[in-house]
Amino acid sequence: MDGLTSAQVSGAKTNDVPRRSSRSLGAIIRANVFTLFNLVIGVLWALVLIFGEWQDGLFGLVIVANALIGIVQELRAKRTLDKLAVINEAPVTVRRDGRDQEIPPRQVVLGDLILLGPGDRLLVDGEVVESDGLEIDESLLTGEADPVHKLPGDEVLSGSFAVAGSGAFVATKVGIDAYAVRLAEEASRFHLARSELRDGVTNFIKYITWLVIPIGSLLIYSQLRNSADFGTAITGAVAGIVTMIPEGLVLMTSIAFAVGVVRLGRRSCLVQELPAIEGLARVDVLCLDKTGTLTADGMDLGEVLPLSDGRPIHDALAALANVDHRPNATAKAIQSRYPSAADGWAAVDVVPFSSARKWSGADFGPHGVWLLGAPDVLLDATADGYERAAELASTGTRVLALCRTDSLNGLNSLNGLNGLNGVDGLASASSAAAAGKAEAVALVTLKQRIRPDAHETLRYFAKQGVTVKVISGDNPDAVAAIATGLEIPDGHRAIDARTLPADDPAKLAELLDTHTVFGRVTPQQKRAFVGALQSRGHTVAMTGDGVNDVLALKDADLGIAMGAGSPATKAVAQVVLLDDKFSSLPHVVGEGRRVLANIERVSNLFLTKTFYAIALSLLTGVLGLMFPFAPRHSTLVNALTIGIPAFVLALAPTLERAKPGFVPRVLRFAVPAGLLCAGAVILSFWAAHSGTSTLIEDRTSATIALFLTTWWVLILITKPLTLGRIAMIGAMAGLFALALAIPFIRHFFALEPGDLSNDLTAVGISVVAAAGISVAVKVAGTLRP
């Protein structure tokens, strides 16, 4: 029991496991360089350099820009994630050279003696060598909800966590040999959670890739058949194919996620999975655990109200508070007044507190068996003090009942066969009290500290249309009093979770919709609440800090853990508020909304380009026309109407709540807008081409039409227009005008506005097309308010 010596530690195998919060530098470079887009664009770039002019190869710089920007942004996010992950890693208590010490998880070695208390997460496998009522929750590994009582010699597995009692185990498997790592190795490394946004972008790319092959082949054949100049034919075909590829869409999505991670990191919010930011935007129901979320950490001992004369109340409280080597918040509050147990109060049997039982107890031999827990669990409705406890709870005060019995055969009779396994023990304890075997000795009040930022934060969620549900293991009247004081809508609508139907999910979901406050909730019920709300179509976020919140956090669409919470809670949450500030939640939700709303805007831009390119390629291929512009023309227009604006829009603030149906909404905008842009370009080119003008002049007219129609699309997408956005839109128009006016730039981009009639015709066609785009997107219902 002295643990390893320093000499043994120096040569032992360490617990080296890859962090799931980020991937390696090599993986980041490979993911940003070796992409299908880069391969296609690289081949087309090489063709242009071989058969055309180098100015038409400017689009090749997109490969370099995309790769560099993507790598830099993800490296920034990686550094932020790794830094915050280190802060988030709860230290492990080990015993070495006979001394207890806290070390980082990665410094645990094979053979270490690891000490456990409530809330501690098991990071390695091992064998129990000491157990003082130790209960381990293995539900994340086995799906079994009930905690398992562990005795010396029993095996414990990584991925589980202690819920009650204390103990110690020897590490037998560490690092990648540990059970949880072998069971789900990818869960210990960087991975992307499910994302409707990312899935939608991926599907767009997949379908477009398949379209590029036949349409590109048709375009190449058409250009070769209609051009005596092989180089002109190749560059015309390349212009159509390159424009079809939304090369910046994936980049913009990655940048938006990465910047979101960095921004939240500055607020001490650890986002453990990048696409979790998307979940932030979709949340419409926020489930709050009262303790540690609405109330601050820690409590203060209030009054001790005797119910029976002649009993050693203070000695019993002191003994119960100091019986556990790893006291919980309640025990710490009592310890502040009773720092040590009186002589002769040594426990011979102990039942540690658990959220399932809602009480703890100990057998102090000649002094009898003493219990401390929820009055409505330990006391019968006719018992002394029951009504008084209810009155105190209705004011928001937390109340505990102190009970004594010497008529039971130790605590094992309270806990049922073999004891310590939750429901049976709870029922036995309640029935023992109801039968008069346990005497109500005193009521103990605890003062809870309301977070100073809770009121303003809850007001924000009310304004944003996010429904708040307060879920707690405490008395429902006490929770309702706090909720009402914080002005939570319908905070007075409280319900005792013990009265909820266990076998009727539909009825449970209905009650969850109609009530706001839930008390006496068990950990398994919290999990059921999340599933019931999700069954009604809600996107559920769950906050918590205790081990009783782990299962619900795991199942919620978004799990948010408090920084001062248990290691197990922080391990399963997707977002951890490291500074423990409840007021950070509005920033967390706001960042998610910014990312999703802006990526949808950017997707509209890129996919409008894709659809007009597909339509132009089909039209020119079928009609046998030359392609209406060269690669350098599309590079100029795309930079001014998509590339530069996309960077600005992707990072702009917004408060819009994300809605499902990202893909259909983008298609309803991009398809009609793209088709009308293509129609304006082909009409302008055909009108100019039927005259006596040169190919460069004809393509200049088409380029003018392309810019004006896509510039109008940019205006529609950018709404609502602010001064900053108006300035950006005006700057893009000014830069295009300069490209037409300055001889050097005009020559570089092969622009020759020499035929005024053709150019004015292109402008007129563009105005009509812009009006058509406005009507089309209004009919589709895609314009933002």
Side-chain angles (χ1 to χ4, degrees):
M1 294 302 297
D2 287 338
L4 299 178
T5 64
S6 299
Q8 290 172 319
V9 170
S10 63
K13 180 179 179 181
T14 59
N15 183 44
D16 188 16
V17 179
R19 286 194 179 96
R20 73 171 182 173
S21 60
S22 63
R23 48 184 167 181
S24 66
L25 174 61
I28 291 173
I29 293 174
R30 287 193 299 273
N32 285 279
V33 173
F34 301 108
T35 67
L36 178 62
F37 279 165
N38 287 352
L39 175 62
V40 173
I41 293 174
V43 170
L44 296 174
W45 184 46
L47 288 174
V48 168
L49 292 180
I50 293 171
F51 299 106
E53 299 182 42
W54 70 270
Q55 292 95 328
D56 285 318
L58 287 176
F59 67 86
L61 296 176
V62 170
I63 298 176
V64 180
N66 279 3
L68 285 178
I69 294 171
I71 290 170
V72 168
Q73 289 291 353
E74 192 164 342
L75 282 177
R76 286 183 67 204
K78 171 183 167 61
R79 282 196 299 270
T80 301
L81 285 170
D82 286 346
K83 187 188 303 180
L84 295 178
V86 171
I87 298 172
N88 184 49
E89 285 180 347
V92 179
T93 303
V94 299
R95 185 172 295 156
R96 293 176 178 175
D97 296 318
R99 293 185 301 105
D100 294 353
Q101 51 187 289
E102 292 187 343
I103 61 172
R106 291 171 181 270
Q107 293 182 15
V108 172
V109 301
L110 191 67
D112 253 329
L113 180 64
I114 302 173
L115 309 183
L116 287 177
D120 285 346
R121 180 188 177 209
L122 278 71
L123 300 175
V124 298
D125 299 349
E127 180 181 320
V128 177
V129 295
E130 183 180 272
S131 174
D132 186 6
L134 179 64
E135 297 179 47
I136 301 294
D137 190 317
E138 299 177 342
S139 57
L140 298 180
L141 301 176
T142 65
E144 181 61 41
D146 291 336
V148 180
H149 182 216
K150 293 292 184 179
L151 298 173
D154 289 347
E155 181 186 30
V156 289
L157 299 175
S158 54
S160 56
F161 55 95
V163 292
S166 59
F169 72 98
V170 173
T172 57
K173 291 180 182 178
V174 299
I176 59 174
D177 296 330
Y179 179 78
V181 180
R182 289 186 287 108
L183 184 68
E185 187 175 348
E186 290 303 315
S188 297
R189 294 205 300 261
F190 176 88
H191 72 287
L192 294 177
R194 185 191 175 278
S195 161
E196 181 187 350
L197 176 63
R198 194 188 68 249
D199 292 345
V201 171
T202 301
N203 286 332
F204 282 141
I205 293 167
K206 180 175 68 176
Y207 297 135
I208 290 166
T209 301
W210 286 109
L211 286 173
V212 163
I213 297 172
I215 295 174
S217 300
L218 173 64
L219 186 59
I220 292 172
Y221 170 76
S222 169
Q223 299 307 291
L224 290 174
R225 189 183 65 182
N226 286 278
S227 177
D229 182 354
F230 185 79
T232 302
I234 289 295
T235 55
V238 167
I241 297 172
V242 167
T243 309
M244 276 190 278
I245 302 173
E247 69 279 352
L249 184 53
V250 175
L251 174 67
M252 288 294 105
T253 304
S254 300
I255 287 175
F257 279 148
V259 171
V261 166
V262 173
R263 284 180 171 177
L264 289 176
R266 290 172 182 161
R267 294 186 177 274
S268 295
C269 298
L270 169 60
V271 181
Q272 305 207 76
E273 300 169 348
L274 294 184
I277 291 179
E278 178 182 342
L280 302 172
R282 301 190 188 282
V283 167
D284 63 345
V285 174
L286 176 62
C287 296
L288 299 174
D289 178 56
K290 175 186 69 67
T291 306
T293 305
L294 296 180
T295 58
D297 287 334
M299 291 176 284
D300 298 317
L301 181 60
E303 296 181 281
V304 178
L305 307 173
L307 299 175
S308 176
D309 295 330
R311 292 296 188 186
I313 295 172
H314 301 291
D315 287 346
L317 279 175
L320 284 171
N322 289 279
V323 76
D324 196 336
H325 300 300
R326 302 285 292 272
N328 58 20
T330 300
K332 287 178 180 177
I334 298 174
Q335 281 180 355
S336 64
R337 188 175 300 178
Y338 305 103
S340 61
D343 293 338
W345 283 77
V348 296
D349 200 357
V350 175
V351 176
F353 177 83
S354 79
S355 55
R357 281 188 294 271
K358 304 192 186 306
W359 60 269
S360 62
D363 185 347
F364 295 104
H367 299 290
V369 176
W370 291 81
L371 310 173
L372 183 66
D376 49 346
V377 172
L378 291 179
L379 304 181
D380 181 72
T382 60
D384 292 341
Y386 186 89
E387 291 187 2
R388 176 62 174 149
E391 291 173 4
L392 290 169
S394 66
T395 66
T397 302
R398 187 174 184 188
V399 186
L400 300 176
L402 177 66
C403 301
R404 182 193 179 281
T405 178
D406 54 11
S407 61
L408 297 177
N409 182 23
L411 288 178
N412 284 337
S413 60
L414 276 176
N415 283 285
L417 183 63
N418 295 326
L420 311 177
N421 282 329
V423 176
D424 290 339
L426 177 60
S428 297
S430 299
S431 61
K437 296 178 181 178
E439 173 192 0
V441 176
L443 296 178
V444 180
T445 65
L446 296 167
K447 300 174 184 176
Q448 301 180 94
R449 308 163 187 166
I450 303 296
R451 287 184 179 274
D453 53 3
H455 196 280
E456 191 62 33
T457 303
L458 291 168
R459 186 178 299 166
Y460 165 84
F461 285 117
K463 288 180 180 177
Q464 295 299 316
V466 177
T467 302
V468 172
K469 305 289 182 184
V470 183
I471 299 172
S472 175
D474 285 351
N475 182 288
D477 292 331
V479 183
I482 291 175
T484 303
L486 290 171
E487 299 181 8
I488 296 176
D490 296 324
H492 63 285
R493 297 181 62 83
I495 191 168
D496 191 322
R498 292 171 297 185
T499 65
L500 294 174
D503 53 357
D504 189 347
K507 181 64 176 176
L508 176 62
E510 181 183 340
L511 289 170
L512 284 166
D513 262 351
T514 55
H515 289 76
T516 299
V517 174
F518 301 86
R520 295 297 178 223
V521 183
T522 65
Q524 289 72 30
Q525 281 182 312
K526 287 188 179 185
R527 189 181 199 179
F529 284 10
V530 170
L533 288 167
Q534 289 169 333
S535 71
R536 305 276 283 201
H538 295 297
T539 301
V540 182
M542 175 78 190
T543 70
D545 68 339
V547 292
N548 56 321
D549 302 318
V550 170
L551 300 178
L553 288 172
K554 187 72 175 175
D555 286 359
D557 296 288
L558 184 71
I560 304 172
M562 308 304 285
S566 71
T569 306
K570 292 187 285 185
V572 301
Q574 292 163 302
V575 176
V576 181
L577 305 181
L578 294 172
D579 59 2
D580 212 32
K581 289 183 178 177
F582 184 47
S583 57
S584 296
L585 278 180
H587 300 291
V588 171
V589 173
E591 190 62 32
R593 292 183 176 182
R594 181 195 64 77
V595 169
L596 222 61
N598 291 339
I599 287 301
E600 186 166 326
R601 281 194 176 95
V602 169
S603 298
N604 283 332
L605 281 177
F606 279 102
L607 292 173
T608 296
K609 177 186 77 128
T610 293
F611 285 112
Y612 79 62
I614 290 172
L616 284 174
S617 299
L618 285 172
L619 285 170
T620 54
V622 171
L623 297 176
L625 297 173
M626 289 298 298
F627 200 75
F629 47 80
R632 68 185 81 177
H633 298 140
S634 63
T635 299
L636 173 64
V637 173
N638 292 341
L640 298 179
T641 61
I642 299 174
I644 297 172
F647 271 99
V648 176
L649 293 176
L651 305 179
T654 182
L655 291 176
E656 298 172 60
R657 191 170 86 196
K659 302 175 187 144
F662 162 74
V663 172
R665 275 198 309 278
V666 171
L667 288 177
R668 286 197 301 270
F669 184 100
V671 171
L675 292 177
L676 286 167
C677 287
V681 171
I682 203 72
L683 282 174
S684 299
F685 181 71
W686 177 78
H689 199 57
S690 59
T692 59
S693 54
T694 64
L695 179 60
I696 292 180
E697 290 175 335
D698 297 342
R699 283 181 162 175
T700 299
S701 298
T703 302
I704 291 172
L706 178 63
F707 174 80
L708 291 175
T709 51
T710 54
W711 183 70
W712 184 251
V713 169
L714 173 63
I715 292 174
L716 296 179
I717 288 172
T718 306
K719 289 182 177 181
L721 296 174
T722 62
L723 286 177
R725 291 176 179 178
I726 292 171
M728 178 196 69
I729 292 169
M732 297 304 101
L735 289 174
F736 185 74
L738 288 175
L740 290 174
I742 299 175
F744 168 75
I745 301 177
R746 192 170 63 233
H747 175 72
F748 183 87
F749 284 105
L751 295 172
E752 213 172 284
D755 193 317
L756 184 60
S757 174
N758 289 343
D759 296 341
L760 289 176
T761 300
V763 171
I765 292 172
S766 300
V767 170
V768 174
I773 292 170
S774 298
V775 172
V777 295
K778 278 185 179 178
V779 170
T782 56
L783 272 180
R784 298 179 181 276

